[in-house]
Structure formats: C-alpha cells, structure tokens
Amino acid sequence: MKVKATDENIKLAGSIIKKGGLVAFPTETVYGLGADALNSYAVAKIFEVKNRPSFDPLIVHISKIEWLEKLVKKIDARAEKLIRKFWPGPLTLVLLKSNIVPDIVTAGLPTVAVRMPAHPVALALIENAQTPISAPSANPFGYISPTTAEHVEKQLGDKIDLILDGGKCPIGVESTVLSLIDEEPTVLRPGGLPIEEIEKVIGKVKLQRSTDKILSPGQLPKHYAPRTPIKIFSSPDEIKEGDDIGVLLFKKTNREIKAKHVEILSENGDLREAASNLFSALHELDSAGVRIIYAEAIPEVGLGVAIMDRLRKASGQR
C-alpha cells in the first residue's frame, strides 16, 4: 500500500517496523526497504522480498549518534571528523560492529555499515520506530534502484507492508560507502558524496574498483541493472542507430540521433542533476521496449565517479 508521508502515516510506518514488518521509505539518495536492524527475523524478510543473496551486507540507518555508539566498537578521530561534516547525509561508514548487530545484517562480517540519512521522512521514521533500520534499496536485487514511490510500487507491489511516498529522491544515487577499518581509508562504493569532499576532511582515500570479497552493498560486478542490455559509448559514432534502440545522454547535443527513445540526464551537463535523474531515466528506457540501451560515458570527477560506477555495473562491465 502506497501512502503519502504524513505525520500520521509515518507513525503507522514506525509501528509496522516495531512489529517486524517492512516499510519502503524515501532517503535523499534512493528509496530504502526498511526493517528493524536488531530483529533478525524482520531483516530476513528483506532478503526474501528482494531475492537478495545472504552474502551481501546491509546498511543500518540511524537518527542519533547515540545509536552509532551502541552499534560499533569504536569511533575513531577520522570517523568523528566525517560525522561532524557530513551527517546527516549520503555517507556510510564501515566500522567494527558490536555484539548487538545481528550477523544477518552484516553477512557474517565483523564490520557494520552505518549512515544517518538527511531526508526528514527517513529521520522521522527511525525516530518513530525507536530502533536502527536496516535498509537496502527498495527493489528486486540487482535491478535499477528506485528514486520514486511509483518505482517501488511497480517493482515490489504488495510484497511489503507499506510504501511511504515522500516524492522524488533529490540525490538519486546511493550513499558513498567508506571503510575506516584499516589505516588507509577505502571507498568501497562511490556515491552521493564525492570522494574529493571526503579527502578535504581526512586526506587521501583509496577507491576500491573491484574485489572478490563483498565488504559492502553495491560491490557485485553486475548491479543496478535494467532488464535491457546496456552498452557504454564515448562517441556517438559507436551507436548503431535504429528504431529499436534507446539512448541515455549525459547532456543535450546538436547531433540528431535516430532512436526509439532518448533520455537526457542534464540539459547543460550538470553532474548533480545527472545523478538525480540517472535511475529514473534508466527506468524509462527499460520500459520503452528497446533492444539495447546506449549510455554515454560521463567525466569521472565529483558525482561523475558514482554515475559511471552505476553504469558500468548496470552493463556488467568491470
């Protein structure tokens, strides 16, 4: 059931979480599928509904720093600096977990990924539920992430207890995941907070491009994918034009492209706007009945790193 995110409905959603149910809710990044993070049975429903493999850990969402102190063993100086600067916001920190975090949340890893979302509906839901909320994206596993309540309703329908409609997610790509387990901070997943901004606070960080071991969400080589195949192109000359193709452009072009459906992420090439529109554009293209989607490569600076990460994973390209 999809409902507007009014105060009354947020209270209803909080009571559903308390009782072990599932609620889809907006964050500033994408819509999440939430359950009580301290209730193993409730968290298991997330994996069941999404058809998510058990080796893929979940992010825990909090509304107060006091909860972080309970969920992790230690908050070091680097974490404190980042929290002061970027929380609430699209930054997830990976730290050593405490014993109260169920193993199903962390896929058996000794670490837990935690963030404080900036969306007022998400924060109000966590407050009403009175518990941290585990929440991956509210979609079938591996498919395009949802940035509207309509995306959630179309993909998960009546498989979950409630969908809180809080409008379109403003950032549009998932949070940046930063591991602080080792001496060298490592970005496990680029996302809504540009790496350059993190480096201004704690110095140089490493970007982990690929791995054989899954340490955070979004690390599988194929993810965020439409059902229609995607091919990334750098020059329009690479497009095999026709009335059965879809094209995803970074910005407006004067060149005429013969295609069944064209989506433009940003008229003037603004990376924030492009990130915000990415998943919605992929949903539109995937619904257009095209044979293949040609996606334009984007400059890998700022949010462009996260956008290209999603496009490569959507195409299955490492």
Side-chain angles (χ1 to χ4, degrees):
M1 179 173 62
K2 178 168 69 76
V3 298
K4 286 289 183 185
T6 62
D7 289 345
E8 183 180 353
N9 286 332
I10 292 171
K11 287 178 182 178
L12 170 63
S15 68
I16 289 171
I17 295 288
K18 286 179 187 178
K19 294 173 183 175
L22 298 182
V23 173
F25 63 97
T27 76
E28 74 278 24
T29 57
V30 300
Y31 271 73
L33 179 60
D36 180 351
L38 305 184
N39 181 336
S40 297
Y41 294 101
V43 173
K45 293 179 185 177
I46 292 176
F47 287 89
E48 181 182 6
V49 166
K50 283 179 61 75
N51 196 24
R52 184 185 180 96
S54 60
F55 57 75
D56 201 13
L58 304 176
I59 292 173
V60 177
H61 296 67
I62 60 173
S63 58
K64 296 177 180 176
I65 295 298
E66 288 80 2
W67 269 115
L68 181 65
E69 295 167 351
K70 297 175 183 178
L71 294 169
V72 305
K73 288 184 176 180
K74 181 184 178 183
I75 305 171
D76 66 19
R78 298 172 301 177
E80 289 178 352
K81 288 180 182 177
L82 291 166
I83 288 166
R84 281 198 298 270
K85 179 70 174 177
F86 299 119
W87 278 14
L91 174 65
T92 294
L93 297 178
V94 176
L95 302 164
L96 289 173
K97 80 178 186 75
S98 71
N99 291 332
I100 72 166
V101 182
D103 285 341
I104 190 171
V105 172
T106 65
L109 295 169
T111 56
V112 62
V114 185
R115 89 174 185 100
M116 184 185 292
H119 200 292
V121 173
L123 290 171
L125 173 61
I126 299 166
E127 283 292 298
N128 275 276
Q130 298 178 319
T131 183
I133 292 179
S134 287
S137 54
N139 60 322
F141 180 75
Y143 191 56
I144 310 167
S145 297
T147 53
T148 67
E150 288 74 26
H151 293 159
V152 181
E153 188 174 38
K154 182 178 177 182
Q155 296 179 72
L156 297 182
D158 57 2
K159 293 182 180 179
I160 58 181
D161 299 297
L162 195 69
I163 302 169
L164 283 174
D165 186 353
K168 183 182 177 183
C169 300
I171 291 178
V173 291
E174 293 83 355
S175 63
T176 301
V177 179
L178 179 70
S179 173
L180 296 177
I181 298 305
D182 299 320
E183 188 172 326
E184 184 178 25
T186 302
V187 172
L188 302 179
R189 178 184 74 184
L193 178 67
I195 294 171
E196 296 91 334
E197 295 300 309
I198 295 172
E199 291 183 328
K200 288 178 185 176
V201 177
I202 59 170
K204 191 69 178 173
V205 303
K206 179 174 73 173
L207 173 59
Q208 184 168 289
R209 287 287 185 182
S210 62
T211 180
D212 293 327
K213 186 176 182 182
I214 304 302
L215 301 173
S216 88
Q219 286 196 298
L220 290 169
K222 187 170 177 65
H223 209 60
Y224 316 110
R227 295 178 176 88
T228 310
I230 286 185
K231 181 178 176 60
I232 299 171
F233 70 90
S234 299
S235 166
D237 295 333
E238 299 171 45
I239 300 174
K240 295 182 180 179
E241 296 181 323
D243 58 6
D244 62 347
I245 71 162
V247 179
L248 179 66
L249 295 175
F250 173 36
K251 57 186 176 181
K252 195 171 182 179
T253 176
N254 292 326
R255 175 168 174 165
E256 184 182 354
I257 295 175
K258 294 177 182 177
K260 182 175 183 179
H261 192 98
V262 177
E263 287 283 330
I264 299 171
L265 294 179
S266 172
E267 291 281 325
N268 60 358
D270 180 88
L271 286 171
R272 287 182 180 274
E273 185 180 16
S276 175
N277 291 329
L278 176 64
F279 288 135
S280 290
L282 286 175
H283 277 286
E284 289 295 325
L285 286 161
D286 202 31
S287 301
V290 297
R291 173 181 56 84
I292 188 170
I293 299 167
Y294 287 92
E296 184 178 11
I298 286 172
E300 292 194 61
V301 294
L303 286 173
V305 177
I307 296 170
M308 284 304 298
D309 172 76
R310 302 309 188 271
L311 287 177
R312 287 195 184 98
K313 285 170 180 164
S315 69
Q317 175 188 325
R318 280 184 177 269

